[in-house]
Amino acid sequence: MRPIAGIFANYRTKSFWLDHAATGYAESPALEGLVRADVLVIGGGLTGVSTAYHLKLAEPSLRVALLEAEVVGYGASGRHAGFIAPVIGLPLSLMTARFGAQRTLEARRYAEHACAYAAQVIQTNRLASEYEACDYLQVAATPAQRRRALQEVEFAHRLGILAVDWIEATPLRALIDSPTYLGAKREHGAALLNPARFTREIKRLAVAHGVEIYEHSPVIQLDFGPVIRAQTPRGAVEADYCALAINAYAVQFPPLRSKQCPLHFYAVATEPLTPAQRNSLGWHDRQALSDTRALPHEYRLTADDRILVAGGDARYIAGNQTGMYSSARVFEDLAIFIDQTFPSLRGIPITHQWGWVASATADLTPALGFVSGDRRVVYSVGNLEHNAALSLLNGRVLSDLLLERKTDLTDVFFVKRATIPLPPEPARSIIIHAALSILRARDALDERRGLGDPAIRGA
Ligand SMILES: Cc1cc2nc3c(=O)[nH]c(=O)nc-3n(C[C@H](O)[C@H](O)[C@H](O)COP(=O)(O)OP(=O)(O)OC[C@H]3O[C@@H](n4cnc5c(N)ncnc54)[C@H](O)[C@@H]3O)c2cc1C
């Protein structure tokens, strides 16, 4: 396993969230010497700290040690947009085509359960995560997007999913004033939070339940002998069980390499809006927003009223690279997206721009299970969704798998499922780049006549 070098000493620059979650954050020490544990968790993202927390919740006598290469929340968990929405993987119609209606409903119920469970954990434990309940609107900005979004609403209703409805253009613009809006699919039961704070609050809970967390401790060698042994630069952990909660970084680990690929995504945040700018948009219910592109933008207001936009494009770097956290082209596109969507904010200064790496399986659906059939070692990959709650619930499922607890959650189809293997290079690059080009081409075709209603935007 090639370690992640501690290149970025100053984590504040890694994302808007890590910048804001830095104040008062007490880093845990790096591992020194040998630690003997019952369970080793590798990865200090939300999936990892959640796995460790749920193991202690279920079996307080267990000795659980967690190794994080950098700091908790360093990966995608401290960088994404902080949405919680009852969505998972592919749009419902595509998921049904891939897995059938029954499994699509299973996945949907899992995502809904994840949203409710996250709210419960946050409220019960009074977690300081800037949690705010809201609706999630998937906005259509072109006639083709409008057609597809409407079909998704009808499809949801046919599946019996009723917490979804359609908002026409005029009432939508009364909620949020953008000339690009042609209507929106609305998901009720969503929320927004500060993903870095949320991940670190779950860390705080885990530590309070007795989990030993070691930061700045990249696993550089991992052996699955009679005793599982993870080597770090200045220490080692020996354990009977192991959870690999490293998501996109799982490419380091050969048995998981064919299950997923690391895709880079980017985000920007503006300076805080003035009250006048704020009022010019409406957006009083602070909905979580995305568009219905093949490569969607997701955007929101932060707690201090900045506009944060993420997504819009994705990059795969040949050789499964995981550290390309900057893209001038995508940062520029995201700034242009803000100007197009909210012309009254044209040219608003961007204060933060960052990237992260997320994990994509071949069918864009999560996969959890045992590594190579070894019931001592579990993994989670493919969490690509706008749903922080998924990583929290996935952690609980990994804990249940290690404790051999059969639950409704461990019976969901993407747990212990076989994944479509992704080939090694160079075929991997050819396939992924072809797929991304097709998605970009569809978006370009959709947007060839501009966004929104020409009559409204004065084309
Ligand atoms: C465009 C886009 C938008 C998204 N928006 C959202 C959103 O709004 N809400 C949401 O919840 N999710 C969102 N996601 C998904 C989200 O990014 C991830 O799925 C999720 O955060 C994964 O969490 P994790 O804990 O599994 O992985 P990570 O947070 O990536 O954690 C993995 C950890 O493992 C550590 N690690 C790696 N290698 C080693 C090693 N050798 N030794 C020790 N530690 C190691 C890393 O440093 C890292 O901290 C989005 C994804 C995309 C692509």
Side-chain angles (χ1 to χ4, degrees), residues 130-174:
E130 297 170 16
Y131 179 92
E132 46 182 311
C134 63
D135 288 337
Y136 170 41
L137 306 184
Q138 291 168 289
V139 173
T142 70
Q145 288 178 10
R146 188 178 187 283
R147 208 172 32 256
R148 277 193 294 271
L150 258 173
Q151 284 164 355
E152 273 296 295
V153 172
E154 289 153 10
F155 197 92
H157 292 169
R158 282 205 298 279
L159 283 177
I161 298 169
L162 304 178
V164 174
D165 58 10
W166 176 257
I167 310 176
E168 273 303 345
T170 306
L172 176 60
R173 286 191 212 121

Side-chain angles (χ1 to χ4, degrees), residues 90-105:
L90 299 162
L92 296 169
S93 53
L94 288 180
M95 184 171 265
T96 302
R98 165 81 176 96
F99 295 107
Q102 188 46 48
R103 288 182 166 192
T104 300
L105 270 177

Side-chain angles (χ1 to χ4, degrees), residues 1-4 42-49 67-78 80-84 195 217-220 245-250 252 263-266 296 298 310-313 356-359 380 382-391:
M1 294 177 76
R2 186 163 48 76
I4 297 183
I42 302 179
L46 184 55
T47 306
V49 289
L67 296 173
E68 163 51 44
E70 303 280 348
V71 288
V72 164
Y74 171 84
S77 297
H80 58 65
F83 282 28
I84 286 186
S217 302
V219 173
I220 53 180
I246 49 179
N247 209 37
Y249 304 94
Q252 301 165 63
L263 290 181
H264 289 79
F265 294 86
Y266 303 91
E298 51 174 36
D313 199 351
W356 74 91
V357 64
S359 168
S380 165
N383 186 354
L384 195 61
E385 246 328 313
H386 316 324
N387 189 353
L390 275 183
S391 303

Side-chain angles (χ1 to χ4, degrees), residues 225-242:
V227 171
I228 296 167
R229 183 182 169 85
Q231 184 68 45
T232 67
R234 296 203 300 276
V237 173
E238 291 184 349
D240 300 323
Y241 298 90
C242 176

